């Protein structure tokens, strides 16, 4: 059995309120910043540039 602990998704259009969206992603999956991005602003910048996001649990 293979366990997958990461979801990666592309956004055709960014949310109107990217800060609220980013906060909700962090609330749902704290590892995004705790073990991924260094801080919220880095996460927002990446979302704006790449238009994708990921969720990761270990």
């Amino acid at each position: 059995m293979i366990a997958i602990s990461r979801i990666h998704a592309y956004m055709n259009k960014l949310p109107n309120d990217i800060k609220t969206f980013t906060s909700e992603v962090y609330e749902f999956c704290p590892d995004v910043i705790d073990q991924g991005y260094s801080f919220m602003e880095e996460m927002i910048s990446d979302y704006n540039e790449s238009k994708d996001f990921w969720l990761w649990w270990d």
Side-chain angles (χ1 to χ4, degrees):
M1 178 180 196
I2 297 174
I4 298 173
S5 59
R6 182 178 175 126
I7 297 171
H8 194 107
Y10 177 78
M11 297 179 273
N12 288 324
K13 180 181 174 190
L14 292 173
N16 289 332
D17 187 346
I18 193 72
K19 288 184 180 184
T20 297
F21 175 77
T22 305
S23 294
E24 290 172 352
V25 168
Y26 176 66
E27 184 178 327
F28 182 70
C29 181
D31 283 348
V32 173
I33 290 181
D34 296 348
Q35 297 183 35
Y37 296 106
S38 299
F39 46 89
M40 189 74 67
E41 289 76 18
E42 179 185 13
M43 191 171 156
I44 291 170
S45 177
D46 188 49
Y47 286 0
N48 284 320
E49 188 176 312
S50 66
K51 293 187 180 171
D52 66 3
F53 71 98
W54 52 270
L55 305 171
W56 171 45
W57 299 269
D58 58 354

